[in-house]
Amino acid sequence: RKSWVVVDIDDVCAGAEYLVKEGLADGDRLCIDGGSAGGYTTLGALAFRDVFKAGTSLYGIGDLTALAGDTHKFESRYLDGLVGQYPEEKNLYKERSPIESVDTLSCPILLLQGVEDKVVPPNQAEMMYNALLKKGIPTCLKLYEGEQHGFRKAENIQDAIDSELAFYGKVFGMDIPEAVELKVDNI
């Protein structure tokens, strides 16, 4: 309780660092991705730590304060147990929001988002994208029409996977045969 993203980031970073230490992963091309809460963990790990070299957030949270006011009624008080009472503990929301730590971000980020998402509204991805653009960090935002929180259409699921591969190919200078067309800004 009240330690959401803190312990999650500790876990993913420890796991990744272990894999590098054991020679099972390349620390120079270490990537992270996740959807929803995992997207939030992804953005948090990239903003608050220096372990990963690139990442993909699928319908992830960039600004907890904005989410506290924007999410649908069903989950409107859900954050109270994960982060703290809002607005009484607003400082925790700001402190744990990746958008508030853009100055510490330095690696490429792909943002994938459903246009009709009511749980994590598209403005979360749009705010992160604009902040990354402004800082000059390589980034790409793909919005999926007709998708909500989590992609359900097979063609969009496939496109998200292909886009992630194409993104990492561009970021790390790898030739990806038959890669989907993907425009990465600031690259």
Side-chain angles (χ1 to χ4, degrees):
R1 289 191 47 84
K2 295 191 177 189
S3 60
W4 191 32
V5 94
V6 175
V7 294
D8 307 80
I9 291 172
D10 288 346
D11 285 351
V12 297
C13 290
E17 289 168 331
Y18 173 81
L19 292 173
V20 170
K21 181 181 158 206
E22 293 297 312
L24 300 171
D26 180 350
D28 293 328
R29 292 188 286 180
L30 205 54
C31 300
I32 182 172
D33 82 342
S36 190
Y40 174 42
T41 300
T42 293
L43 293 173
L46 296 172
F48 306 133
R49 300 290 181 80
D50 189 26
V51 173
F52 300 98
K53 305 305 180 201
T56 299
S57 171
L58 297 96
Y59 34 91
I61 302 158
D63 186 338
L64 283 171
T65 304
L67 184 69
D70 291 343
T71 197
H72 63 80
K73 193 174 187 177
F74 177 71
E75 293 195 13
S76 64
R77 303 312 309 174
Y78 185 58
L79 294 175
D80 290 356
L82 295 172
V83 181
Q85 296 290 316
Y86 188 85
E88 297 82 3
E89 296 177 275
K90 188 176 182 176
N91 62 315
L92 286 176
Y93 284 70
K94 188 171 181 170
E95 180 182 304
R96 295 186 193 166
S97 291
I99 193 85
E100 296 290 341
S101 294
V102 171
D103 58 318
T104 61
L105 279 168
S106 60
C107 62
I109 300 176
L110 172 62
L111 301 155
L112 306 173
Q113 177 71 45
V115 171
E116 298 174 17
D117 193 337
K118 303 267 189 276
V119 178
V120 178
N123 69 340
Q124 291 284 323
E126 292 163 349
M127 287 186 289
M128 282 301 300
Y129 173 71
N130 288 324
L132 295 167
L133 269 181
K134 185 176 178 182
K135 187 169 181 202
I137 294 175
T139 188
C140 175
L141 170 63
K142 285 193 87 169
L143 297 170
Y144 291 87
E145 292 291 334
E147 290 290 4
Q148 298 175 18
H149 193 67
F151 302 151
R152 288 158 181 81
K153 296 178 183 176
E155 64 270 19
N156 290 339
I157 294 168
Q158 187 63 55
D159 183 75
I161 293 167
D162 292 341
S163 294
E164 190 170 355
L165 179 60
F167 180 75
Y168 295 138
K170 286 184 182 239
V171 165
F172 295 114
M174 299 181 301
D175 181 39
I176 308 295
E178 300 179 36
V180 298
E181 194 62 37
L182 187 72
K183 180 182 181 288
V184 179
D185 298 303
N186 295 331
I187 199 159

